[in-house]
Amino acid sequence: MTTREQQRIETRGRIIAAAVETFAERGFHGASTREIAGRSGVTQGLVTYHFQNKDTLWREAADHVFSGLFTDIRGRVAAEAPETTRELARAMVRAYVRHVAERPAIMRFLVQEGHTDDPRIEWLVDTHVGQMHQHFVGFMTMAGVAADADEAVHLYYAMAGAGSLMFSVPALCRRVTGVDPGAPEVIERHADFVARLLVPDPPGG
Amino acid sequence: MTTREQQRIETRGRIIAAAVETFAERGFHGASTREIAGRSGVTQGLVTYHFQNKDTLWREAADHVFSGLFTDIRGRVAAEAPETTRELARAMVRAYVRHVAERPAIMRFLVQEGHTDDPRIEWLVDTHVGQMHQHFVGFMTMAGVAADADEAVHLYYAMAGAGSLMFSVPALCRRVTGVDPGAPEVIERHADFVARLLVPDPPGG
DNA sequence: GTCTATAATTAGATAGAC
DNA sequence: GTCTATCTAATTATAGAC
């Protein structure tokens, strides 16, 4: 690999990382390519050189944010080696919470873009969000955590919202509660809390 | 009241309504006063005339979004006339979900601004969000729904997130699930689902 | 691959006519 | 109270030097 290719990959990576942060903070319209350039230590012209236009940059940033969600959750669940269906379901919820806690940009991208039915939402659903939802609904219905597919939709948004909001508004959370949602012990407590909330102990004890 | 005063109030109201929509959709930086003017059927100069600058307009819009939360929830809870502490707690959760379902801008304002510790967040917490959180934590701890104040923080974000996400991303939700989060029956089902999730039946049955 | 310079567009805020 | 016109600054995207 030539030096130029290495340089290209590294620079693109820095720009994408800055783009993720900026789009998550300000949304597509609110983010400027100049700020993204500034954060990644390059000039605005170079951003256009590498990504043609703002829309393409947004897609690459979104790809970076959403990719690896499945793999990461599967890995985390496997590491816990759950033995019962209930423990498997809880492990999945915990894995999800930990994942979004470490990548709060996920939920911010969704909320920033999820209001209006534009091409970006279309792309996001077709590329990333759709299959995640299908898998979740399928599993939770099969595992008996949700009574049926209809209820699983409510369970899905309950988990996604309950698991992520705290990490999507870190400055607000710190100011209101004094709790730092970036602290590992807070993440662990929230993961466990939400897992027990969504997958409660059986009625018998 | 003179015609001019009526006109003033009515125009300001239209601008604020458009500002709420636009800020909720695009965030402070992404929203333009020109778009807000266009949506309310006036010119951009008039927005500045009535609200001096974008920051003041945002605060008035936020005030409009967050005001009445307490009153509305209290009214909805009273209308159900709950008799047990458990039913009271559930009624509060249902009231909260219904409220944010009909005013999804609430959660979008929080997510849009809650990331960075800027003056708007400071103002939002001091003016609206702080006391709401205090009341909730106090009640849920007292009612025994949360074990202690520490757990109540997690319960709070679980409720706020679980109860609102679906309504904060209506276009996304429709596209992913086919469910319309604006439909009254969907709101009712979600309110009931989240209430039972957060305030479960007692272990004994 | 990166920068500087620039064109065309759009932003927020002000001034003046009515 | 409302509109039009305008100023200044910031935006995206392009072109050309190195």
Side-chain angles (χ1 to χ4, degrees), chain B residues 82-149:
Chain B
E83 292 181 350
T84 66
T85 306
R86 168 165 294 105
E87 262 316 307
L88 173 58
R90 280 188 181 165
M92 277 188 56
V93 175
R94 279 195 296 266
Y96 174 83
V97 175
R98 290 173 185 141
H99 187 89
V100 296
E102 292 171 10
R103 291 168 190 76
I106 287 186
M107 197 48 57
R108 297 184 62 83
F109 265 68
L110 293 179
V111 174
Q112 296 275 10
E113 308 299 328
H115 183 268
T116 315
D117 212 337
D118 58 22
R120 286 188 299 283
I121 270 299
E122 210 170 308
W123 178 89
L124 211 50
V125 172
D126 295 349
T127 317
H128 295 289
V129 182
Q131 55 171 201
M132 177 172 79
H133 178 262
Q134 296 293 34
H135 281 239
F136 178 86
V137 165
F139 174 78
M140 284 300 181
T141 310
M142 197 186 63
V145 181
D148 52 39

Side-chain angles (χ1 to χ4, degrees), chain B residues 7-8 11 43 46 49-50:
Chain B
Q7 185 74 296
R8 172 189 177 83
T11 302
T43 56
L46 197 61
Y49 167 77
H50 279 294

Side-chain angles (χ1 to χ4, degrees), chain B:
Chain B
M1 196 187 294
T2 73
T3 301
R4 279 243 149 145
E5 276 168 356
Q6 288 177 329
Q7 185 74 296
R8 172 189 177 83
I9 290 167
E10 203 224 276
T11 302
R12 283 178 58 99
R14 280 217 318 282
I15 296 173
I16 287 176
V20 165
E21 289 304 308
T22 313
F23 283 130
E25 273 181 38
R26 305 207 190 283
F28 180 79
H29 290 97
S32 82
T33 58
R34 269 195 167 76
E35 181 171 356
I36 293 167
R39 289 196 196 194
S40 39
V42 300
T43 56
Q44 186 253 343
L46 197 61
V47 173
T48 313
Y49 167 77
H50 279 294
F51 299 94
Q52 293 85 53
N53 54 48
K54 193 177 173 180
D55 206 78
T56 304
L57 176 59
W58 185 87
R59 276 173 164 75
E60 298 245 17
D63 254 333
H64 188 261
V65 168
F66 285 91
S67 74
L69 198 156
F70 272 122
T71 318
D72 182 77
I73 288 185
R74 197 160 36 216
R76 288 180 197 264
V77 170
E80 293 198 29
E83 292 181 350
T84 66
T85 306
R86 168 165 294 105
E87 262 316 307
L88 173 58
R90 280 188 181 165
M92 277 188 56
V93 175
R94 279 195 296 266
Y96 174 83
V97 175
R98 290 173 185 141
H99 187 89
V100 296
E102 292 171 10
R103 291 168 190 76
I106 287 186
M107 197 48 57
R108 297 184 62 83
F109 265 68
L110 293 179
V111 174
Q112 296 275 10
E113 308 299 328
H115 183 268
T116 315
D117 212 337
D118 58 22
R120 286 188 299 283
I121 270 299
E122 210 170 308
W123 178 89
L124 211 50
V125 172
D126 295 349
T127 317
H128 295 289
V129 182
Q131 55 171 201
M132 177 172 79
H133 178 262
Q134 296 293 34
H135 281 239
F136 178 86
V137 165
F139 174 78
M140 284 300 181
T141 310
M142 197 186 63
V145 181
D148 52 39
D150 270 7
E151 194 182 87
V153 170
H154 295 279
L155 183 69
Y156 174 74
Y157 280 99
M159 176 187 74
S164 68
L165 178 61
M166 167 179 249
F167 311 106
S168 305
V169 293
L172 183 80
C173 180
R174 266 190 295 269
R175 183 166 274 270
V176 174
T177 68
V179 170
D180 176 15
E185 69 270 19
V186 173
I187 298 177
E188 279 312 298
R189 232 185 309 160
H190 200 66
D192 204 59
F193 180 81
V194 175
R196 288 177 188 280
L197 202 62
L198 265 69
V199 190
D201 287 322

Side-chain angles (χ1 to χ4, degrees), chain A residues 69-177:
Chain A
L69 198 156
F70 272 121
T71 318
D72 181 77
I73 288 185
R74 196 161 37 217
R76 289 180 197 263
V77 169
E80 293 199 29
E83 292 181 350
T84 66
T85 307
R86 167 165 294 105
E87 263 315 308
L88 173 58
R90 279 189 181 164
M92 277 189 56
V93 176
R94 280 195 295 267
Y96 175 83
V97 175
R98 289 174 185 140
H99 187 88
V100 295
E102 293 172 11
R103 291 169 190 74
I106 287 186
M107 197 48 57
R108 298 186 60 84
F109 266 67
L110 293 180
V111 174
Q112 296 276 9
E113 308 298 329
H115 182 269
T116 315
D117 211 337
D118 58 23
R120 286 187 300 282
I121 270 299
E122 210 171 307
W123 178 88
L124 211 49
V125 171
D126 295 349
T127 318
H128 294 290
V129 182
Q131 55 172 201
M132 178 171 78
H133 178 261
Q134 296 293 34
H135 282 240
F136 178 86
V137 165
F139 174 78
M140 285 300 182
T141 310
M142 197 187 63
V145 180
D148 51 39
D150 272 7
E151 193 180 271
V153 170
H154 295 278
L155 183 69
Y156 174 74
Y157 280 99
M159 175 186 74
S164 68
L165 178 60
M166 167 179 249
F167 310 107
S168 305
V169 292
L172 184 78
C173 180
R174 265 190 295 269
R175 182 167 275 269
V176 173
T177 68

